[in-house]
Every structure is written in C-alpha cells, then in structure tokens.
Amino acid sequence: MTNTKITSSIPKERLNIVGRKLLSARAVRERAAQLLSYGQSDRLDNFTVDMSRLDPTSDFVLRVIRSNYPNLGVPPHSRWRHFELGEFDRWGMIAGTRDWRDPVELGRAAFDLAFVSVLLDAGAGTKWAYAESATGETFSRSEGLAIASLVMFTSGAFSSDPYDPLRADARALAGLTYEELADGFQVSNGNPLIGLEGRLGLLNRLGNAMQERPDVFSAPDGIRPGGMVDMLIRQATGTGKIGAPVILEVLLESLGSIWPGRYMMGDVALGDTWKHPKVIAGDASDGLLPLHKLSQWLAYSLIEPLVWSGMTVTDLDGLTGLAEYRNGGLFIDMGLLKPRDPTALRRPQKPESEFVVEWRGLTVALLDQIAEGVRKRLSRTAQTFPLACVLEGGTWSAGRRIAREKRPDGSPPIIIDSDGTVF
C-alpha cells in the first residue's frame, strides 16, 4: 500500500514544517479537543455527545479502579502489565536469569521486547487464543498477544545472534517470515488471528527503517530498537531526564515509513493520521486528525525500561489517552457517545472511515475529561495520579468490563475491519 500525498501549492520546505507539527501528542490533544467542542454543540455528522453521561462514566471508571487496585497503587499503563498476568512477573524472571553488564544493557533488551510486542498488539479478534505452556493457561486478545510475543522473544525469534536470544535486531526483523510469525502465535485454521500479514509487515518495515536511521537505533552490538536508549541518554545531555512527549516524537519522526497506506505531507510520513473535515488549523493540515495510537502505546511502554536504564521520565501527562476500541467502546456502551445512525454499529467499519476517525478523536478528548473527574473524586493531581494510571486502572478495564456485560463475546460495540496496524 503506497502512501497518499497531501497536495498543496506551498513550497515543500514549508509543507515539511507543517507535517512535522502533526507528529506530537500536543497535536493529537488539540485537534481531538476540537472535535469534542463540535460534539458538545451538536455539530458532528456521525456522533452526538451526551455530557450528562460524563459523571456516571467517571463513577464507573472509579469503581473499576478501586476493584482492581483497592489501595489505589495503580501502575502506569504499558505493555509490561500484560507480562505480569496472574501475579507472575514473566519478564522479571527472564531478565533475572542473566548477568547484565550494566542497567543500560538491560534497558536495551527491554526496549527490543517492547517494540516488537507493542507493534504486534493491534486487536486479535474474537476467535484467536494462545496457550502458554509454562503455566498451562490460555490467553486471548491483548494478553494473548503479549505472552506470545514474549515467548517468541525469549526463544530468539527476533535475534540474528544465536548466542544472544534476548534481543531484537534490524536484520532478524526485516527477514521474519509469515510462517515463523504464524507458528509463534499458534495460528491455524481453527485459531485465526486477524491482520497477521499486517503485523508481519510492520515488523519487516521496522527492521528496514532502523537500518536507515543508525543515528537513532545504533547500539554497541548492532542496529536494534534498544539503540534508542543510547540515543535518548545522549539527548538528555547529562541531566538524566527526558520528557515522555519527546520519546513519542522520536518514534514518530524516525519510524513514519513503517505505517502502510498513510498520508505524506511533503517528505513527512504522518503515521496514524486521518482525514476529518471538522478539524481546522488554518494551514495545509486542515482536515487532518493525528491519533498515533500504537506509537503512544509504545511510548508509554518505553518509560519503565528507561527508568531501569537509570533515567528519569517527566511529563507523563504530555502523552494522550489511546484512541482504541476499549477506551472508545466504553464511551459508546455508557451512552456518552451515540451514533446518529444506530445501524452503523452493525456494519464493519474501515479505520479510515469518517465514522471511526470521529469516534477515535472523541475518545482521546473524553479520556482527558474522565481523568479530571477521577482525580477530583480521589483528591489527586496529575502528578500524583497521571493519565497513565487512569488508563491502566481504569478506562481500559472498564471498557472491557462493560463490553462483557453488553455482549456475550465481550467484543467492542463497533465492528472494525482491521488490518492489524491501527488498533
């Protein structure tokens, strides 16, 4: 799938500047807030927004948080939570078997795992599951994808060095085959995983993209996702501190080429950015809504490895909530968002459709509203209870819980025709 060029009469240099502005969490938040403001004044074409349902939704999320974490010790939202299912810290146990030379070496390996696991985590569908031999348990959806990717990582499936399995590198990722990924994820006719080709394509393109950006991904032992740890340490210029939005911006700027069939503005690949006519910026980016769901999910999941490497990550709330089907499904199932055409919920929707783009943008803006409501009820601040904790505690679990109450298979209220690269 080739990228679509955004046409404009302005010079390419200026177009590049405008495009780069879309590669940030700030752009996601500001443009999503525009959609919500339209929704609050009943000026959207696909959804109405019933703000009288905001407080009941905040109350429901808080009940879920207290149920999941009675002492309110909520960890940040990240891929690492899935590796701790059943109070069994799989990664901690695996990492503990190795004598790491220093904290940065551990951080590089954790970066490698986070990259491949997050990029493989884009909606599994309702028919796939993974049987974990170590515990004898079977997991589906995000949890199953996490465990499957961890087992593949541990086996050395993403490493080109047979003597160092606990790593992922550009050569191995670029050469990964469909058969290897299908085998690792236990895919069969009776256990189908949606979007497997799309997931494989992401990893293959990741391998190629890293080779084109040695300034970001060079590690002492080759080109690998973990090389970004070294780059961020250099960028911290001796302070040992890095802002979470900076992590996202590095990801978006260096990996724009891995996303298939997206928009290009000048020479800038815009990633998870889609068209919506209500978004106005007063420049060539009018009508474009960035969301960057998987990239932000990855940014959240890189925070802990950076801390393990000895760094301090600041401004966690500089990232936004994630525009995915559990958070977005929560708002539909709670009646906060209502499709103008109820039959739209019965038809498969493409990720690029205005219906889905509008839903995702409203989801981001409403997550900020929910976070504010939860903090107010807990007498907490953004510093003591960041958005990452609201998501983890939180909205994601609440979305899954109410989906199970509403539908026997726990599926989201919107049927997504997914290619494995968006959700």
Side-chain angles (χ1 to χ4, degrees), residues 67-97:
S67 173
N68 290 338
Y69 300 94
N71 65 356
L72 298 180
V74 185
H77 194 51
S78 80
R79 189 50 144 174
W80 304 99
R81 305 291 78 77
H82 290 146
F83 298 143
E84 299 165 353
L85 293 171
E87 299 183 359
F88 176 30
D89 183 2
R90 294 161 179 80
W91 172 244
M93 193 172 86
I94 293 164
T97 65

PDB file of all heavy atoms in Angstrom, residues 67-97:
ATOM      1  N   SER A  67     -11.812  -1.551  42.402  1.00  0.00           N
ATOM      2  CA  SER A  67     -11.915  -3.002  42.351  1.00  0.00           C
ATOM      3  C   SER A  67     -10.583  -3.638  41.968  1.00  0.00           C
ATOM      4  O   SER A  67     -10.160  -4.637  42.558  1.00  0.00           O
ATOM      5  CB  SER A  67     -13.002  -3.411  41.347  1.00  0.00           C
ATOM      6  OG  SER A  67     -13.024  -4.806  41.152  1.00  0.00           O
ATOM      7  N   ASN A  68      -9.917  -3.044  40.983  1.00  0.00           N
ATOM      8  CA  ASN A  68      -8.643  -3.589  40.513  1.00  0.00           C
ATOM      9  C   ASN A  68      -7.487  -3.285  41.466  1.00  0.00           C
ATOM     10  O   ASN A  68      -6.575  -4.113  41.644  1.00  0.00           O
ATOM     11  CB  ASN A  68      -8.292  -3.019  39.132  1.00  0.00           C
ATOM     12  CG  ASN A  68      -9.201  -3.538  38.038  1.00  0.00           C
ATOM     13  OD1 ASN A  68      -9.821  -4.590  38.176  1.00  0.00           O
ATOM     14  ND2 ASN A  68      -9.290  -2.811  36.935  1.00  0.00           N
ATOM     15  N   TYR A  69      -7.531  -2.114  42.089  1.00  0.00           N
ATOM     16  CA  TYR A  69      -6.432  -1.654  42.950  1.00  0.00           C
ATOM     17  C   TYR A  69      -7.013  -1.030  44.216  1.00  0.00           C
ATOM     18  O   TYR A  69      -7.115   0.198  44.331  1.00  0.00           O
ATOM     19  CB  TYR A  69      -5.548  -0.636  42.210  1.00  0.00           C
ATOM     20  CG  TYR A  69      -4.913  -1.194  40.961  1.00  0.00           C
ATOM     21  CD1 TYR A  69      -5.524  -1.037  39.712  1.00  0.00           C
ATOM     22  CD2 TYR A  69      -3.704  -1.892  41.026  1.00  0.00           C
ATOM     23  CE1 TYR A  69      -4.950  -1.564  38.563  1.00  0.00           C
ATOM     24  CE2 TYR A  69      -3.117  -2.414  39.876  1.00  0.00           C
ATOM     25  CZ  TYR A  69      -3.747  -2.248  38.665  1.00  0.00           C
ATOM     26  OH  TYR A  69      -3.158  -2.773  37.524  1.00  0.00           O
ATOM     27  N   PRO A  70      -7.425  -1.848  45.175  1.00  0.00           N
ATOM     28  CA  PRO A  70      -8.077  -1.322  46.386  1.00  0.00           C
ATOM     29  C   PRO A  70      -7.238  -0.300  47.144  1.00  0.00           C
ATOM     30  O   PRO A  70      -7.792   0.611  47.775  1.00  0.00           O
ATOM     31  CB  PRO A  70      -8.311  -2.579  47.235  1.00  0.00           C
ATOM     32  CG  PRO A  70      -8.347  -3.700  46.247  1.00  0.00           C
ATOM     33  CD  PRO A  70      -7.389  -3.324  45.169  1.00  0.00           C
ATOM     34  N   ASN A  71      -5.908  -0.424  47.070  1.00  0.00           N
ATOM     35  CA  ASN A  71      -5.057   0.545  47.768  1.00  0.00           C
ATOM     36  C   ASN A  71      -4.670   1.717  46.882  1.00  0.00           C
ATOM     37  O   ASN A  71      -3.871   2.571  47.285  1.00  0.00           O
ATOM     38  CB  ASN A  71      -3.794  -0.143  48.292  1.00  0.00           C
ATOM     39  CG  ASN A  71      -2.904  -0.670  47.160  1.00  0.00           C
ATOM     40  OD1 ASN A  71      -3.278  -0.589  45.979  1.00  0.00           O
ATOM     41  ND2 ASN A  71      -1.760  -1.199  47.518  1.00  0.00           N
ATOM     42  N   LEU A  72      -5.249   1.756  45.667  1.00  0.00           N
ATOM     43  CA  LEU A  72      -5.006   2.827  44.684  1.00  0.00           C
ATOM     44  C   LEU A  72      -3.547   2.914  44.239  1.00  0.00           C
ATOM     45  O   LEU A  72      -3.122   3.926  43.702  1.00  0.00           O
ATOM     46  CB  LEU A  72      -5.470   4.186  45.226  1.00  0.00           C
ATOM     47  CG  LEU A  72      -6.961   4.306  45.543  1.00  0.00           C
ATOM     48  CD1 LEU A  72      -7.291   5.692  46.067  1.00  0.00           C
ATOM     49  CD2 LEU A  72      -7.795   4.001  44.287  1.00  0.00           C
ATOM     50  N   GLY A  73      -2.794   1.837  44.423  1.00  0.00           N
ATOM     51  CA  GLY A  73      -1.420   1.800  43.931  1.00  0.00           C
ATOM     52  C   GLY A  73      -1.401   1.352  42.482  1.00  0.00           C
ATOM     53  O   GLY A  73      -0.910   0.259  42.151  1.00  0.00           O
ATOM     54  N   VAL A  74      -1.917   2.192  41.598  1.00  0.00           N
ATOM     55  CA  VAL A  74      -2.091   1.828  40.191  1.00  0.00           C
ATOM     56  C   VAL A  74      -0.777   2.065  39.433  1.00  0.00           C
ATOM     57  O   VAL A  74      -0.250   3.177  39.447  1.00  0.00           O
ATOM     58  CB  VAL A  74      -3.212   2.652  39.532  1.00  0.00           C
ATOM     59  CG1 VAL A  74      -3.452   2.168  38.110  1.00  0.00           C
ATOM     60  CG2 VAL A  74      -4.490   2.572  40.354  1.00  0.00           C
ATOM     61  N   PRO A  75      -0.255   1.059  38.766  1.00  0.00           N
ATOM     62  CA  PRO A  75       0.956   1.259  37.960  1.00  0.00           C
ATOM     63  C   PRO A  75       0.598   1.965  36.655  1.00  0.00           C
ATOM     64  O   PRO A  75      -0.577   2.029  36.282  1.00  0.00           O
ATOM     65  CB  PRO A  75       1.447  -0.169  37.693  1.00  0.00           C
ATOM     66  CG  PRO A  75       0.183  -0.977  37.698  1.00  0.00           C
ATOM     67  CD  PRO A  75      -0.727  -0.334  38.715  1.00  0.00           C
ATOM     68  N   PRO A  76       1.571   2.473  35.941  1.00  0.00           N
ATOM     69  CA  PRO A  76       1.277   3.147  34.669  1.00  0.00           C
ATOM     70  C   PRO A  76       0.854   2.159  33.589  1.00  0.00           C
ATOM     71  O   PRO A  76       1.245   0.991  33.612  1.00  0.00           O
ATOM     72  CB  PRO A  76       2.610   3.820  34.306  1.00  0.00           C
ATOM     73  CG  PRO A  76       3.647   3.004  35.001  1.00  0.00           C
ATOM     74  CD  PRO A  76       3.011   2.546  36.279  1.00  0.00           C
ATOM     75  N   HIS A  77       0.056   2.630  32.680  1.00  0.00           N
ATOM     76  CA  HIS A  77      -0.416   1.837  31.551  1.00  0.00           C
ATOM     77  C   HIS A  77       0.756   1.514  30.638  1.00  0.00           C
ATOM     78  O   HIS A  77       1.458   2.419  30.175  1.00  0.00           O
ATOM     79  CB  HIS A  77      -1.467   2.657  30.787  1.00  0.00           C
ATOM     80  CG  HIS A  77      -2.273   1.881  29.805  1.00  0.00           C
ATOM     81  ND1 HIS A  77      -2.919   0.716  30.112  1.00  0.00           N
ATOM     82  CD2 HIS A  77      -2.549   2.123  28.489  1.00  0.00           C
ATOM     83  CE1 HIS A  77      -3.586   0.273  29.054  1.00  0.00           C
ATOM     84  NE2 HIS A  77      -3.368   1.104  28.057  1.00  0.00           N
ATOM     85  N   SER A  78       1.002   0.246  30.398  1.00  0.00           N
ATOM     86  CA  SER A  78       2.087  -0.131  29.492  1.00  0.00           C
ATOM     87  C   SER A  78       1.990  -1.608  29.182  1.00  0.00           C
ATOM     88  O   SER A  78       1.222  -2.354  29.805  1.00  0.00           O
ATOM     89  CB  SER A  78       3.457   0.176  30.097  1.00  0.00           C
ATOM     90  OG  SER A  78       3.852  -0.818  31.011  1.00  0.00           O
ATOM     91  N   ARG A  79       2.788  -2.049  28.229  1.00  0.00           N
ATOM     92  CA  ARG A  79       2.815  -3.458  27.842  1.00  0.00           C
ATOM     93  C   ARG A  79       3.282  -4.345  28.990  1.00  0.00           C
ATOM     94  O   ARG A  79       2.912  -5.522  29.054  1.00  0.00           O
ATOM     95  CB  ARG A  79       3.747  -3.625  26.645  1.00  0.00           C
ATOM     96  CG  ARG A  79       3.713  -5.000  25.995  1.00  0.00           C
ATOM     97  CD  ARG A  79       2.298  -5.417  25.704  1.00  0.00           C
ATOM     98  NE  ARG A  79       2.172  -6.179  24.470  1.00  0.00           N
ATOM     99  CZ  ARG A  79       1.050  -6.733  24.084  1.00  0.00           C
ATOM    100  NH1 ARG A  79      -0.038  -6.608  24.831  1.00  0.00           N
ATOM    101  NH2 ARG A  79       0.974  -7.398  22.958  1.00  0.00           N
ATOM    102  N   TRP A  80       4.066  -3.806  29.907  1.00  0.00           N
ATOM    103  CA  TRP A  80       4.638  -4.612  30.980  1.00  0.00           C
ATOM    104  C   TRP A  80       3.587  -5.206  31.888  1.00  0.00           C
ATOM    105  O   TRP A  80       3.798  -6.251  32.496  1.00  0.00           O
ATOM    106  CB  TRP A  80       5.665  -3.778  31.760  1.00  0.00           C
ATOM    107  CG  TRP A  80       6.701  -3.259  30.810  1.00  0.00           C
ATOM    108  CD1 TRP A  80       6.753  -2.016  30.262  1.00  0.00           C
ATOM    109  CD2 TRP A  80       7.766  -4.010  30.204  1.00  0.00           C
ATOM    110  NE1 TRP A  80       7.789  -1.930  29.358  1.00  0.00           N
ATOM    111  CE2 TRP A  80       8.434  -3.135  29.309  1.00  0.00           C
ATOM    112  CE3 TRP A  80       8.228  -5.319  30.347  1.00  0.00           C
ATOM    113  CZ2 TRP A  80       9.530  -3.544  28.556  1.00  0.00           C
ATOM    114  CZ3 TRP A  80       9.311  -5.725  29.594  1.00  0.00           C
ATOM    115  CH2 TRP A  80       9.948  -4.851  28.716  1.00  0.00           C
ATOM    116  N   ARG A  81       2.423  -4.564  31.978  1.00  0.00           N
ATOM    117  CA  ARG A  81       1.358  -5.116  32.819  1.00  0.00           C
ATOM    118  C   ARG A  81       0.888  -6.479  32.288  1.00  0.00           C
ATOM    119  O   ARG A  81       0.531  -7.357  33.057  1.00  0.00           O
ATOM    120  CB  ARG A  81       0.169  -4.145  32.869  1.00  0.00           C
ATOM    121  CG  ARG A  81       0.479  -2.725  33.324  1.00  0.00           C
ATOM    122  CD  ARG A  81       0.858  -2.629  34.784  1.00  0.00           C
ATOM    123  NE  ARG A  81       2.223  -3.037  35.057  1.00  0.00           N
ATOM    124  CZ  ARG A  81       3.296  -2.272  34.797  1.00  0.00           C
ATOM    125  NH1 ARG A  81       3.185  -1.083  34.240  1.00  0.00           N
ATOM    126  NH2 ARG A  81       4.501  -2.707  35.110  1.00  0.00           N
ATOM    127  N   HIS A  82       0.879  -6.628  30.964  1.00  0.00           N
ATOM    128  CA  HIS A  82       0.431  -7.894  30.393  1.00  0.00           C
ATOM    129  C   HIS A  82       1.425  -9.022  30.653  1.00  0.00           C
ATOM    130  O   HIS A  82       1.039 -10.195  30.662  1.00  0.00           O
ATOM    131  CB  HIS A  82       0.218  -7.742  28.882  1.00  0.00           C
ATOM    132  CG  HIS A  82      -0.953  -6.892  28.528  1.00  0.00           C
ATOM    133  ND1 HIS A  82      -0.977  -6.078  27.415  1.00  0.00           N
ATOM    134  CD2 HIS A  82      -2.142  -6.705  29.152  1.00  0.00           C
ATOM    135  CE1 HIS A  82      -2.135  -5.441  27.363  1.00  0.00           C
ATOM    136  NE2 HIS A  82      -2.858  -5.810  28.406  1.00  0.00           N
ATOM    137  N   PHE A  83       2.687  -8.667  30.855  1.00  0.00           N
ATOM    138  CA  PHE A  83       3.686  -9.702  31.154  1.00  0.00           C
ATOM    139  C   PHE A  83       3.612 -10.143  32.618  1.00  0.00           C
ATOM    140  O   PHE A  83       4.324 -11.056  33.024  1.00  0.00           O
ATOM    141  CB  PHE A  83       5.102  -9.185  30.866  1.00  0.00           C
ATOM    142  CG  PHE A  83       5.336  -8.811  29.429  1.00  0.00           C
ATOM    143  CD1 PHE A  83       6.127  -7.715  29.105  1.00  0.00           C
ATOM    144  CD2 PHE A  83       4.778  -9.538  28.394  1.00  0.00           C
ATOM    145  CE1 PHE A  83       6.353  -7.367  27.779  1.00  0.00           C
ATOM    146  CE2 PHE A  83       4.999  -9.195  27.060  1.00  0.00           C
ATOM    147  CZ  PHE A  83       5.787  -8.102  26.760  1.00  0.00           C
ATOM    148  N   GLU A  84       2.754  -9.492  33.401  1.00  0.00           N
ATOM    149  CA  GLU A  84       2.633  -9.799  34.826  1.00  0.00           C
ATOM    150  C   GLU A  84       1.309 -10.489  35.163  1.00  0.00           C
ATOM    151  O   GLU A  84       0.889 -10.502  36.316  1.00  0.00           O
ATOM    152  CB  GLU A  84       2.752  -8.505  35.638  1.00  0.00           C
ATOM    153  CG  GLU A  84       4.085  -7.787  35.450  1.00  0.00           C
ATOM    154  CD  GLU A  84       4.078  -6.350  35.954  1.00  0.00           C
ATOM    155  OE1 GLU A  84       2.998  -5.853  36.344  1.00  0.00           O
ATOM    156  OE2 GLU A  84       5.146  -5.724  35.941  1.00  0.00           O
ATOM    157  N   LEU A  85       0.660 -11.055  34.157  1.00  0.00           N
ATOM    158  CA  LEU A  85      -0.642 -11.694  34.378  1.00  0.00           C
ATOM    159  C   LEU A  85      -0.546 -12.779  35.439  1.00  0.00           C
ATOM    160  O   LEU A  85       0.428 -13.527  35.502  1.00  0.00           O
ATOM    161  CB  LEU A  85      -1.141 -12.307  33.067  1.00  0.00           C
ATOM    162  CG  LEU A  85      -1.498 -11.313  31.955  1.00  0.00           C
ATOM    163  CD1 LEU A  85      -1.752 -12.055  30.656  1.00  0.00           C
ATOM    164  CD2 LEU A  85      -2.716 -10.495  32.344  1.00  0.00           C
ATOM    165  N   GLY A  86      -1.592 -12.856  36.268  1.00  0.00           N
ATOM    166  CA  GLY A  86      -1.618 -13.866  37.312  1.00  0.00           C
ATOM    167  C   GLY A  86      -0.576 -13.641  38.383  1.00  0.00           C
ATOM    168  O   GLY A  86      -0.153 -14.594  39.054  1.00  0.00           O
ATOM    169  N   GLU A  87      -0.174 -12.370  38.570  1.00  0.00           N
ATOM    170  CA  GLU A  87       0.854 -12.010  39.557  1.00  0.00           C
ATOM    171  C   GLU A  87       2.151 -12.798  39.324  1.00  0.00           C
ATOM    172  O   GLU A  87       2.877 -13.148  40.255  1.00  0.00           O
ATOM    173  CB  GLU A  87       0.333 -12.230  40.981  1.00  0.00           C
ATOM    174  CG  GLU A  87      -0.888 -11.378  41.294  1.00  0.00           C
ATOM    175  CD  GLU A  87      -1.365 -11.526  42.724  1.00  0.00           C
ATOM    176  OE1 GLU A  87      -0.763 -12.311  43.471  1.00  0.00           O
ATOM    177  OE2 GLU A  87      -2.353 -10.848  43.086  1.00  0.00           O
ATOM    178  N   PHE A  88       2.433 -13.079  38.061  1.00  0.00           N
ATOM    179  CA  PHE A  88       3.629 -13.818  37.659  1.00  0.00           C
ATOM    180  C   PHE A  88       4.434 -12.902  36.747  1.00  0.00           C
ATOM    181  O   PHE A  88       4.071 -12.676  35.594  1.00  0.00           O
ATOM    182  CB  PHE A  88       3.198 -15.110  36.947  1.00  0.00           C
ATOM    183  CG  PHE A  88       4.320 -15.932  36.379  1.00  0.00           C
ATOM    184  CD1 PHE A  88       5.579 -15.935  36.957  1.00  0.00           C
ATOM    185  CD2 PHE A  88       4.101 -16.723  35.260  1.00  0.00           C
ATOM    186  CE1 PHE A  88       6.595 -16.702  36.415  1.00  0.00           C
ATOM    187  CE2 PHE A  88       5.105 -17.492  34.721  1.00  0.00           C
ATOM    188  CZ  PHE A  88       6.361 -17.474  35.307  1.00  0.00           C
ATOM    189  N   ASP A  89       5.520 -12.331  37.257  1.00  0.00           N
ATOM    190  CA  ASP A  89       6.332 -11.378  36.508  1.00  0.00           C
ATOM    191  C   ASP A  89       7.260 -12.133  35.560  1.00  0.00           C
ATOM    192  O   ASP A  89       8.402 -12.439  35.878  1.00  0.00           O
ATOM    193  CB  ASP A  89       7.136 -10.509  37.484  1.00  0.00           C
ATOM    194  CG  ASP A  89       7.952  -9.434  36.765  1.00  0.00           C
ATOM    195  OD1 ASP A  89       7.860  -9.335  35.517  1.00  0.00           O
ATOM    196  OD2 ASP A  89       8.692  -8.703  37.445  1.00  0.00           O
ATOM    197  N   ARG A  90       6.737 -12.413  34.381  1.00  0.00           N
ATOM    198  CA  ARG A  90       7.483 -13.212  33.426  1.00  0.00           C
ATOM    199  C   ARG A  90       8.784 -12.544  32.992  1.00  0.00           C
ATOM    200  O   ARG A  90       9.835 -13.176  32.945  1.00  0.00           O
ATOM    201  CB  ARG A  90       6.597 -13.507  32.201  1.00  0.00           C
ATOM    202  CG  ARG A  90       5.401 -14.398  32.518  1.00  0.00           C
ATOM    203  CD  ARG A  90       4.328 -14.303  31.455  1.00  0.00           C
ATOM    204  NE  ARG A  90       3.194 -15.178  31.744  1.00  0.00           N
ATOM    205  CZ  ARG A  90       2.222 -14.874  32.604  1.00  0.00           C
ATOM    206  NH1 ARG A  90       2.269 -13.731  33.269  1.00  0.00           N
ATOM    207  NH2 ARG A  90       1.224 -15.708  32.818  1.00  0.00           N
ATOM    208  N   TRP A  91       8.704 -11.263  32.630  1.00  0.00           N
ATOM    209  CA  TRP A  91       9.915 -10.587  32.185  1.00  0.00           C
ATOM    210  C   TRP A  91      10.924 -10.459  33.324  1.00  0.00           C
ATOM    211  O   TRP A  91      12.129 -10.648  33.135  1.00  0.00           O
ATOM    212  CB  TRP A  91       9.605  -9.215  31.607  1.00  0.00           C
ATOM    213  CG  TRP A  91      10.857  -8.418  31.330  1.00  0.00           C
ATOM    214  CD1 TRP A  91      11.234  -7.242  31.919  1.00  0.00           C
ATOM    215  CD2 TRP A  91      11.904  -8.748  30.407  1.00  0.00           C
ATOM    216  NE1 TRP A  91      12.444  -6.818  31.424  1.00  0.00           N
ATOM    217  CE2 TRP A  91      12.882  -7.728  30.497  1.00  0.00           C
ATOM    218  CE3 TRP A  91      12.110  -9.805  29.528  1.00  0.00           C
ATOM    219  CZ2 TRP A  91      14.048  -7.732  29.731  1.00  0.00           C
ATOM    220  CZ3 TRP A  91      13.275  -9.821  28.756  1.00  0.00           C
ATOM    221  CH2 TRP A  91      14.226  -8.803  28.868  1.00  0.00           C
ATOM    222  N   GLY A  92      10.448 -10.154  34.519  1.00  0.00           N
ATOM    223  CA  GLY A  92      11.359 -10.051  35.653  1.00  0.00           C
ATOM    224  C   GLY A  92      12.099 -11.349  35.892  1.00  0.00           C
ATOM    225  O   GLY A  92      13.309 -11.354  36.187  1.00  0.00           O
ATOM    226  N   MET A  93      11.395 -12.468  35.735  1.00  0.00           N
ATOM    227  CA  MET A  93      12.028 -13.762  35.942  1.00  0.00           C
ATOM    228  C   MET A  93      13.045 -14.051  34.831  1.00  0.00           C
ATOM    229  O   MET A  93      14.162 -14.532  35.094  1.00  0.00           O
ATOM    230  CB  MET A  93      10.980 -14.866  35.978  1.00  0.00           C
ATOM    231  CG  MET A  93      11.498 -16.181  36.499  1.00  0.00           C
ATOM    232  SD  MET A  93      10.177 -17.383  36.748  1.00  0.00           S
ATOM    233  CE  MET A  93      10.089 -18.081  35.115  1.00  0.00           C
ATOM    234  N   ILE A  94      12.675 -13.752  33.594  1.00  0.00           N
ATOM    235  CA  ILE A  94      13.588 -13.987  32.469  1.00  0.00           C
ATOM    236  C   ILE A  94      14.823 -13.107  32.579  1.00  0.00           C
ATOM    237  O   ILE A  94      15.965 -13.570  32.440  1.00  0.00           O
ATOM    238  CB  ILE A  94      12.846 -13.727  31.139  1.00  0.00           C
ATOM    239  CG1 ILE A  94      11.754 -14.774  30.924  1.00  0.00           C
ATOM    240  CG2 ILE A  94      13.826 -13.721  29.971  1.00  0.00           C
ATOM    241  CD1 ILE A  94      10.750 -14.392  29.867  1.00  0.00           C
ATOM    242  N   ALA A  95      14.604 -11.820  32.838  1.00  0.00           N
ATOM    243  CA  ALA A  95      15.734 -10.894  32.937  1.00  0.00           C
ATOM    244  C   ALA A  95      16.635 -11.252  34.108  1.00  0.00           C
ATOM    245  O   ALA A  95      17.856 -11.033  34.065  1.00  0.00           O
ATOM    246  CB  ALA A  95      15.221  -9.458  33.091  1.00  0.00           C
ATOM    247  N   GLY A  96      16.047 -11.828  35.176  1.00  0.00           N
ATOM    248  CA  GLY A  96      16.826 -12.187  36.354  1.00  0.00           C
ATOM    249  C   GLY A  96      17.758 -13.357  36.143  1.00  0.00           C
ATOM    250  O   GLY A  96      18.647 -13.609  36.972  1.00  0.00           O
ATOM    251  N   THR A  97      17.582 -14.090  35.046  1.00  0.00           N
ATOM    252  CA  THR A  97      18.469 -15.230  34.780  1.00  0.00           C
ATOM    253  C   THR A  97      19.767 -14.807  34.109  1.00  0.00           C
ATOM    254  O   THR A  97      20.656 -15.635  33.927  1.00  0.00           O
ATOM    255  CB  THR A  97      17.767 -16.257  33.866  1.00  0.00           C
ATOM    256  OG1 THR A  97      17.516 -15.665  32.576  1.00  0.00           O
ATOM    257  CG2 THR A  97      16.458 -16.719  34.477  1.00  0.00           C
TER     258      THR A  97
END
